[in-house]
Amino acid sequence: MKSLLRIYRRYIFSAIWIVGAVLCVNLLVLLLIQPVLRFWNEKSGSSSQLERVSAVFSTDEEGQISLGAEGEEVLREMEAKFAFLLNDDGTRIWGWNLPEGIKERYTVGEVASFSRWYLLDYPVKVWNCDLGLLVVANSKGSVAKYPVEYSPSTVKTLPFFILAVLGANFLMILVLALLSGYRLYDGLRPIAFGLDRLVDGRRIAVPENGIARDLAEKLNHVSRILEIQRENLNRRDTARTEWISGVSHDIRTPLSMVMGYADSLENDAALPEEARKEAGIIREQSLKIKILIEDLNLTSKLEYHMQPLRVKDFMPAALLRQAVVSILNSGQQENCELKTEIDDALEPVVMRGDEALLSRALQNLIGNSIRHNPGCQILVSGRLERKEGQSLCVLSVRDDGSGIPEEVRRILEGMRPSEPDGPHIMGLRIVSQITSAHGGQMRFSADGREVLLYLPTAGTLEEKRGEAQKWWEILWYGKGRGRKAADRPFSQE
């Protein structure tokens, strides 16, 4: 749903941007069109052209007024139909191409009328020159005249009126954009809801109507396909787990008998030395088979979350020491040198999880180094790190051997799938699964010689002791104080 709301917000912002851009473009066009209109007005017969005509008038000795060829050329450029001059008392003293109906004399009222409107339906322009009033007419229908008058108060309120009109247009477009966006949102909301359920692995049935009808049909079809696949996978996984569990149970009894007889033969002094060595080899290999079966059963349960975690509080520093001591007591280290290095900051740290499984993970890592790097030096270390405001316990096993191959690291990190004929990584896979079950991550060094387990912590020993105090003890003695709080042993249960 969040992704759909984000799309809706982006749609609204886009609509606002488009509306603003359209309004700005309209204002810009209005500003730019004014000089163009002014230029066209001047070209069609402006005051400069009338002034040119009046400047070329000439008067002879008898007082006759003439325009000359230059003046007539200017009138033709203006596309004038006719022209005449009136003196101060309104008498026509000169004329050019006059049509019928032009009077010899005009009153002041008539001059005022045709100057503002038309003369015999001809649009005219007037110019006051030295000889009198120059009147130039264009052809009928070529110019439209409209009276435009504004009072001072109207002129002052005109900008606010324009802003009000623009604001109303902006609001209308915005409302339409919001309604259009909500319609799209309402149509896609069932699709988003269905996708959320589909991600959670649940069956969906989106209504197949509205604007997203085709998408709903396809989504329902995909849901049915995924449900069938999920059922097939569950049946396959259940059969696989049951088969592994059954085989492990069936092999356990005969394998125990083989190990028992091999141990008896190995300790039988009556047998030759060579036979007793062979019996010892049988016992060792049987033990490896037993461990392999246990690993196979454990990784199967961890993969399908069938292994219950025996969760309790424990201290990772003690866990490291116990894992190393267990390896030393079992004699698995052979000729390898095993060292521990625990940071002081890790000593009081408490973790919460399955201590036995995490100990199994550490022993697997140490045993892996021993098996693949005979005679190596192994360092088991622990430290406390803070990452993104969270305290993490980092358990590390490092050796000076050849390192874990890059192919194995890429498989365990999920960068490439495991192949049937690929390397055997059962032990490391169990370590990765145990770490993931505790909310942690397994990482490798660049050279592959170190495996690091990043695990979340649950606080410190002092904090846990404070939590174990009774409310009346905290009220009476204070948190972490008093004889009972100080003497109370830390419980890991």
Side-chain angles (χ1 to χ4, degrees):
M1 297 296 291
K2 292 182 179 179
S3 60
L4 189 58
L5 288 174
R6 191 180 301 112
I7 294 173
Y8 186 42
R9 287 196 300 268
R10 290 184 62 182
Y11 176 82
I12 293 175
F13 293 151
S14 299
I16 294 174
W17 180 86
I18 291 172
V19 170
V22 169
L23 293 178
C24 291
V25 170
N26 288 334
L27 290 175
L28 183 61
V29 169
L30 287 175
L31 292 176
L32 293 178
I33 203 172
Q34 296 300 324
V36 176
L37 293 175
R38 191 178 300 111
F39 172 77
W40 286 349
N41 185 48
E42 293 176 354
K43 183 179 180 181
S44 62
S46 65
S47 59
S48 61
Q49 293 173 314
L50 292 175
E51 187 177 5
R52 288 175 58 193
V53 174
S54 62
V56 296
F57 278 113
S58 61
T59 306
D60 57 13
E61 297 177 354
E62 298 178 357
Q64 296 294 324
I65 301 173
S66 62
L67 184 61
E70 183 181 355
E72 293 181 0
E73 182 64 26
V74 175
L75 290 175
R76 293 188 184 93
E77 290 179 1
M78 296 174 59
E79 298 181 355
K81 202 68 177 176
F82 62 89
F84 58 88
L85 270 172
L86 298 177
N87 61 13
D88 293 339
D89 61 359
T91 303
R92 177 164 53 84
I93 58 178
W94 171 85
W96 175 77
N97 286 346
L98 296 177
E100 293 183 2
I102 300 299
K103 297 164 62 175
E104 291 291 335
R105 189 176 184 280
Y106 290 92
T107 64
V108 176
E110 290 174 331
V111 172
S113 177
F114 70 67
S115 298
R116 186 173 183 180
W117 298 107
Y118 300 89
L119 177 59
L120 302 179
D121 294 333
Y122 290 96
V124 297
K125 303 179 184 69
V126 296
W127 180 259
N128 190 20
C129 59
D130 296 337
L131 298 177
L133 184 67
L134 174 63
V135 180
V136 178
N138 293 100
S139 59
K140 295 179 180 181
S142 61
V143 177
K145 288 190 174 185
Y146 297 96
V148 179
E149 294 182 358
Y150 297 106
S151 64
S153 60
T154 304
V155 173
K156 291 179 180 179
T157 58
L158 184 60
F160 301 99
F161 174 76
I162 294 175
L163 289 177
V165 172
L166 293 177
N169 290 332
F170 178 82
L171 184 62
M172 180 183 65
I173 296 173
L174 181 61
V175 170
L176 292 176
L178 291 175
L179 292 176
S180 176
Y182 182 78
R183 182 173 178 270
L184 178 63
Y185 168 79
D186 190 58
L188 292 178
R189 184 168 53 182
I191 302 297
F193 181 73
L195 287 174
D196 290 341
R197 291 178 59 89
L198 196 63
V199 170
D200 294 337
R202 292 178 287 179
R203 184 179 181 180
I204 63 173
V206 180
E208 298 178 358
N209 52 27
I211 193 172
R213 180 179 58 189
D214 295 338
L215 289 176
E217 293 177 355
K218 294 179 180 179
L219 192 60
N220 290 334
H221 181 64
V222 170
S223 175
R224 290 190 290 269
I225 293 176
L226 291 178
E227 185 178 5
I228 295 173
Q229 292 179 348
R230 188 162 48 249
E231 291 177 355
N232 293 335
L233 288 174
N234 289 336
R235 285 196 295 267
R236 187 196 67 181
D237 295 339
T238 302
R240 174 186 174 186
T241 304
E242 292 177 351
W243 180 82
I244 292 175
S245 179
V247 170
S248 300
H249 181 270
D250 293 341
I251 292 178
R252 189 175 293 113
T253 300
L255 188 61
S256 298
M257 295 179 62
V258 171
M259 293 177 63
Y261 284 124
D263 185 66
S264 298
L265 294 174
E266 183 181 9
N267 296 320
D268 190 353
L271 291 177
E273 184 67 22
E274 187 67 25
R276 289 196 299 176
K277 288 183 180 180
E278 292 176 354
I281 294 173
I282 294 173
R283 181 185 59 79
E284 291 177 358
Q285 298 302 319
S286 299
L287 179 61
K288 290 182 180 179
I289 294 174
K290 180 181 179 182
I291 294 174
L292 181 61
I293 292 174
E294 291 176 353
D295 288 347
L296 183 62
N297 197 22
L298 177 60
T299 188
S300 177
K301 290 181 178 180
L302 289 172
E303 183 175 358
Y304 300 108
H305 307 286
M306 298 176 62
Q307 173 66 31
L309 298 181
R310 296 179 292 274
V311 179
K312 64 178 182 179
D313 291 338
F314 64 92
M315 304 186 70
L319 175 69
L320 278 175
R321 295 188 179 96
Q322 291 172 3
V324 173
V325 169
S326 178
I327 293 292
L328 293 174
N329 291 339
S330 64
Q332 299 178 34
Q333 80 278 11
E334 297 178 355
N335 57 344
C336 293
E337 184 179 353
L338 197 57
K339 296 181 179 180
T340 57
E341 187 178 288
I342 301 175
D343 190 7
D344 292 338
L346 189 64
E347 294 290 350
V349 172
V350 177
M351 290 180 58
R352 187 163 182 80
D354 194 323
E355 186 178 10
L357 280 180
L358 287 171
S359 178
R360 173 72 177 275
L362 288 173
Q363 292 180 34
N364 277 11
L365 292 176
I366 298 172
N368 190 69
S369 296
I370 293 172
R371 285 191 300 273
H372 295 285
N373 304 285
C376 67
Q377 291 184 351
I378 303 173
L379 175 63
V380 182
S381 62
R383 65 180 184 273
L384 189 66
E385 286 188 4
R386 293 192 65 84
K387 186 176 182 181
E388 298 179 356
Q390 182 183 10
S391 295
L392 295 177
C393 172
V394 183
L395 307 181
S396 165
V397 177
R398 182 177 182 83
D399 59 58
D400 58 356
S402 58
I404 300 174
E406 183 179 0
E407 180 183 5
V408 174
R409 282 181 278 155
R410 292 173 67 87
I411 292 174
L412 291 171
E413 290 175 348
M415 299 177 65
R416 56 166 295 178
S418 179
E419 299 178 358
D421 55 348
H424 172 65
I425 56 173
M426 181 72 70
L428 290 175
R429 188 184 297 278
I430 290 176
V431 175
S432 178
Q433 291 173 329
I434 293 175
T435 305
S436 298
H438 286 80
Q441 291 182 338
M442 183 174 72
R443 293 288 181 264
F444 302 94
S445 61
D447 56 4
R449 295 179 179 179
E450 183 178 15
V451 181
L452 302 102
L453 308 182
Y454 291 85
L455 297 164
T457 63
T460 61
L461 180 60
E462 195 65 29
E463 293 173 352
K464 289 295 180 179
R465 283 177 173 169
E467 292 175 1
Q469 281 186 271
K470 303 295 184 181
W471 66 268
W472 56 267
E473 290 180 343
I474 298 176
L475 184 63
W476 182 261
Y477 294 106
K479 188 173 181 180
R481 296 182 179 181
R483 180 182 59 81
K484 292 188 177 181
D487 297 341
R488 184 183 295 107
F490 172 64
S491 175
Q492 294 185 341
E493 298 299 329

